[in-house]
């Protein structure tokens, strides 16, 4: 199995590391930035180019791991040199059909995880979401999906089929539980910092918050002043937040309202 | 060391378990609900009463672990029978000074953790926040604080002094990182449920979100469309959220705005 990865960002980097670990041949990297592309060539000890005319056409799959906004541009350039090869992107928010005008066989392979260069990724626990379509008449429609599933299974044992129409739901859910949760941690740090309290004291509480939902529904383990309808405490908190960015106050109010609504309690 | 615990809720329950583990004498429980009080008597194999006239006065400390709104009522009743004993509450949002009109020696012992009867608590990792004051003229002011520290150290190795004026800051920070984070998980579950996606696929992402802040600042590891200023994706997400409770849309907008502001990028 030979793979070409397009991109030199966090996703291409971690996918590359994982494929190499699984003895998949990293046939070539294609990058935009010359320095990064050279670095990838050294790190992965393989061919890497910024020149689309030097693209190797003998890979089994081409995985576009670039910013959402660059996917179509890259696809257009790739389509000049490729023909029947399977081409996928890795985006959580772009439908796989953006590749349809350019390739006969296309799909997506979306690893649901937050990637930073500095943080190792435990791929055994990263769900991979795939879909694939084909205009090829000589092959059964399932062929490329089965093929993509084989590739996804080399990355992780958790592979799900994700049709394009559900992609956005998954991505929005991920934004809430990952990006927004991290921002709540940032707010917690800001408040403790400003009051000379160590942020570290909040970490066991954060861990317990996550542990609780391992076996119980978030709704069932909701606690706090809003859940209890403790207006006295909420008023004090809103008053306290007046010295902070106005968004904190807005978030406090909206969360309290949302918690009351979801728990189907009186506001 | 003899302790009296007032309350039969989650906090009294877990404090009781932990004190017993540490071979502290649970002298008596005082409850309001007769059934729960009887249950506590059986569970902890100790005296338990709902009758304030039967309160044992020979405990070294009385810990009021009841709802915030009931603290003063309980304190008033206790003050009829107690005199020089140290009395503390366990609240994160009520200043210890609410006890000042009732007792010579008072304070607070606030375990920063979310307690549910069904979830075991690892006290080794629960920070305990204490403060204590005394009107006693015969003892140095530090006496009761030192004494309370000894008691707190039997619960957890992590003990901090928390003056009343910082209590609210800590509690607000805890509401953000615990209560509101849990609500974000609830929203994630709601979105995945409605789209027939398993909520479990989000759990590795949630764990990674928490792992990332162990050694790095939340601000440094913020990712997502708002951080990137990816307005195209944000517009699609806002459109998607129109079919959900209006608070979700409001939260999405406010978080995105807050992330942009905190990251000191252009809105």
């Amino acid at each position: 199995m030979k793979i070409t990865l397009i991109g030199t960002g966090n996703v291409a980097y971690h996918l590359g590391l994982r494929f190499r670990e699984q003895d998949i041949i990293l046939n070539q990297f294609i990058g935009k930035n010359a320095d990064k592309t050279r670095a990838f060539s050294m790190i992965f000890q393989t061919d890497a180019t910024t020149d689309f005319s030097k693209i190797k056409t003998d890979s089994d799959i081409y995985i576009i791991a670039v910013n959402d906004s660059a996917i179509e541009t890259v696809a257009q350039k790739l389509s000049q040199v490729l023909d029947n090869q399977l081409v996928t992107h890795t985006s959580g928010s772009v439908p796989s059909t953006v590749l349809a005008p350019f390739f006969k066989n296309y799909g997506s392979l979306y690893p649901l995880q937050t990637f930073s260069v500095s943080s190792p990724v435990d791929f055994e626990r990263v769900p991979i979401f795939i879909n694939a379509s084909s205009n090829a008449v000589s092959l059964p429609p399932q062929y490329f999906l089965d093929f993509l599933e084989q590739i996804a299974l080399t990355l992780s044992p958790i592979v799900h089929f994700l049709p394009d129409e559900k992609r956005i739901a998954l991505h929005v859910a991920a934004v809430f539980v990952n990006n927004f949760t991290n921002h709540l941690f940032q707010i917690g740090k800001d408040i403790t910092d400003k009051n000379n309290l160590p942020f570290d004291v909040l970490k066991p509480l954060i861990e317990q918050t996550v542990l609780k939902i391992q076996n119980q529904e978030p709704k069932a383990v909701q606690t706090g002043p809003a859940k209890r309808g403790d207006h006295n405490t909420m008023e004090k908190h809103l008053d306290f937040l007046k010295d902070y960015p106005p968004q904190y106050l807005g978030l406090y109010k909206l969360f309290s309202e949302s918690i009351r609504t979801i728990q189907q309690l009186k506001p």
Side-chain angles (χ1 to χ4, degrees), chain A:
Chain A
M1 181 106 70
K2 288 183 185 174
I3 286 183
T4 292
L5 275 165
I6 301 98
T8 53
N10 293 335
V11 176
Y13 176 72
H14 284 289
L15 287 181
L17 288 182
R18 181 62 172 174
F19 280 130
R20 188 174 60 175
E21 222 176 65
Q22 301 292 80
D23 293 325
I24 305 288
I25 297 166
L26 293 170
N27 200 22
Q28 191 175 40
F29 277 94
I30 305 170
K32 192 169 68 171
N33 178 295
D35 287 342
K36 278 191 173 182
T37 307
R38 248 191 314 275
F40 267 54
S41 176
M42 287 193 293
I43 293 166
F44 292 99
Q45 291 289 306
T46 189
D47 189 61
T49 184
T50 57
D51 184 350
F52 276 74
S53 74
K54 291 186 180 153
I55 290 178
K56 295 183 180 180
T57 56
D58 62 337
S59 286
D60 300 290
I61 180 169
Y62 293 75
I63 300 176
I64 303 175
V66 302
N67 282 342
D68 289 354
S69 56
I71 292 174
E72 284 190 72
T73 318
V74 166
Q76 198 275 328
K77 286 189 191 171
L78 268 181
S79 68
Q80 315 286 310
V81 284
L82 301 183
D83 184 23
N84 284 311
Q85 298 92 333
L86 176 61
V87 181
T88 72
H89 66 57
T90 59
S91 168
S93 45
V94 173
S96 63
T97 47
V98 298
L99 303 176
F102 306 109
F103 308 104
K104 284 188 196 136
N105 312 308
Y106 59 90
S108 91
L109 180 150
Y110 168 42
L112 182 64
Q113 191 49 275
T114 167
F115 294 103
S116 310
V117 166
S118 54
S119 305
V121 175
D122 176 11
F123 267 98
E124 294 292 321
R125 304 212 54 227
V126 175
I128 311 283
F129 293 88
I130 57 166
N131 70 338
S133 301
S134 175
N135 306 317
V137 285
S138 56
L139 290 165
Q142 192 67 20
Y143 175 86
F144 282 103
L145 189 60
D146 288 346
F147 174 65
L148 191 55
E149 188 181 11
Q150 293 307 312
I151 293 168
L153 284 169
T154 67
L155 292 170
S156 162
I158 313 160
V159 175
H160 293 274
F161 172 68
L162 183 75
D164 273 327
E165 62 273 20
K166 287 191 182 180
R167 180 179 308 270
I168 189 167
L170 190 64
H171 195 226
V172 173
V175 166
F176 274 93
V177 304
N178 169 26
N179 303 153
F180 293 170
T181 294
N182 185 72
H183 187 59
L184 289 180
F185 298 161
Q186 156 68 30
I187 292 175
K189 183 170 189 325
D190 190 22
I191 294 172
T192 49
D193 280 357
K194 286 206 172 74
N195 291 277
N196 292 313
L197 291 160
F199 176 56
D200 277 358
V201 300
L202 295 175
K203 289 181 179 172
L205 182 63
I206 289 170
E207 283 160 36
Q208 184 74 2
T209 309
V210 171
L211 271 180
K212 272 190 171 181
I213 61 152
Q214 289 312 305
N215 304 307
Q216 295 171 93
E217 298 215 350
K219 187 174 166 179
V221 296
Q222 183 68 54
T223 57
K227 164 71 192 303
R228 291 196 305 273
D230 181 351
H231 290 283
N232 191 20
T233 298
M234 287 192 276
E235 283 305 318
K236 283 189 223 166
H237 287 184
L238 290 172
D239 187 60
F240 171 84
L241 287 168
K242 280 178 187 148
D243 300 329
Y244 289 82
Q247 290 89 357
Y248 294 8
L249 193 82
L251 285 171
Y252 192 100
K253 281 183 186 168
L254 208 44
F255 264 111
S256 299
E257 193 185 310
S258 190
I259 289 169
R260 298 298 287 168
T261 308
I262 291 235
Q263 299 277 339
Q264 293 178 304
L265 301 165
K266 283 176 212 152

